[in-house]
Amino acid sequence: MGDAVAGGEARREELAANLAEVRKRIAAACAAAGRDAGEVTLVAVTKTFPASDVRLLAELGVTDVAENRDQEARPKAEDCAGLPLRWHFVGQLQTNKARSVAAYADVVQSVDRVRLVRALSDAATRAGRTLRCLIQVSLDEPEPGQGGRGPAAAGARGGADPADVPALADAIATADGLELDGVMAVAPLGGDPSVAFARLARIAADLRREHPGAAVISAGMSGDLEQAVACGATHVRVGTALLGGRRAIVR
Ligand SMILES: *Cc1c(COP(=O)(O)O)cnc(C)c1O
């Protein structure tokens, strides 16, 4: 057996062990919340890791993968074409990348402005595809009446102001080529994720009153998936706990 094959086998075992551990955490969090583990979809965030890892995860039964940069995601998705995977885009998205993303993404979780809705609709229509969309909500600013201000630089991670969610939802729901699936958020740095995810759950409930089909709540990462599941997350996005630490990438 060559070293490359041996290396692949070791990586498979590592990913299998990590996956078992993450699935155990999700199951325990669901049990604690009185939820069925089948209600929560694990989305593996494969950014900075090679297509070979995506293949191994697919072989191990992972059905959903996520990437946050088009220039990295597109070749990886092409490399993995034919695998039974749903591709999620979870990064900040420039309108000029919409056509590229529409070629491989099944779900865009980071829709945060009407201009992007228009670009994605145009791109999906040209590509003859349907893109499922989540509205990324920024939870960085405190709720009105809660006082204080969030960490100054937090807005850099993107996301719509909660007050803009209804208008964005209507824009997505009426756009050709797009389907409104729900909401996504990242817990603010340094805050209590339970507070943030409870707020997201209220925003999601308000959204479902107008758009009953928009039932997805994408929340929770390696460090806070338990709190997200407790607050009703239907999708958790896990990178580090599955694949290991990422090397810093220069942007
Ligand atoms: C990287 C990333 C994740 C995964 O984070 P981990 O802490 O590595 O699990 C989840 N969501 C988004 C939007 C990300 O960019």
Side-chain angles (χ1 to χ4, degrees):
M1 193 191 283
D3 284 348
V5 177
E9 195 49 46
R11 183 59 170 158
R12 175 195 296 272
E13 281 170 22
E14 185 180 8
L15 291 179
N18 291 348
L19 180 61
E21 180 60 30
V22 169
R23 290 216 187 279
K24 211 160 76 182
R25 284 176 60 191
I26 293 170
C30 284
R35 302 180 61 196
D36 189 305
E39 292 174 29
V40 178
T41 300
L42 170 62
V43 181
V45 183
T46 49
K47 64 189 183 199
T48 78
F49 291 95
S52 55
D53 280 352
V54 178
R55 285 177 187 284
L56 288 171
L57 288 170
E59 287 169 23
L60 292 167
V62 167
T63 55
D64 292 77
V65 295
E67 289 281 334
N68 73 337
R69 291 165 76 233
D70 175 61
Q71 70 220 70
E72 178 185 351
R74 187 181 35 198
K76 216 184 280 187
E78 278 167 11
D79 199 311
C80 296
L83 295 177
L85 288 170
R86 265 184 301 270
W87 288 80
H88 299 247
F89 192 85
V90 298
Q92 278 191 275
L93 184 51
Q94 292 167 275
T95 50
N96 64 3
K97 297 285 174 67
R99 280 179 81 170
S100 176
V101 168
Y104 59 85
D106 300 291
V107 186
V108 178
Q109 297 204 1
S110 45
V111 180
D112 61 0
R113 58 201 191 280
V114 170
R115 241 166 66 78
L116 180 57
V117 173
R118 297 212 187 93
L120 287 171
S121 172
D122 186 52
T125 309
R126 283 168 190 263
R129 303 190 71 224
T130 299
L131 287 179
R132 305 194 153 273
C133 294
L134 304 185
I135 298 172
Q136 182 178 352
V137 184
S138 169
L139 302 174
D140 293 325
E141 293 295 328
E143 282 186 82
Q146 297 297 108
R149 282 185 66 83
R157 284 179 300 163
D161 189 285
D164 296 334
V165 169
L168 259 174
D170 291 343
I172 295 168
T174 56
D176 289 333
L178 307 183
E179 297 256 5
L180 176 65
D181 264 11
V183 292
M184 180 272 251
V186 178
L189 287 170
D192 178 350
S194 295
V195 172
F197 295 147
R199 183 178 180 197
L200 181 65
R202 291 194 298 276
I203 292 166
D206 288 344
L207 176 67
R208 278 200 306 278
R209 266 193 290 283
E210 299 297 322
H211 302 277
V216 169
I217 301 177
S218 172
M221 318 198 298
S222 292
D224 54 19
L225 72 86
E226 283 83 1
Q227 290 94 329
V229 168
C231 291
T234 62
H235 291 62
V236 292
R237 310 177 306 270
V238 180
T240 312
L242 270 181
L243 291 132
R246 291 181 289 272
R247 280 195 270 160
I249 45 172
V250 182
R251 285 173 184 266

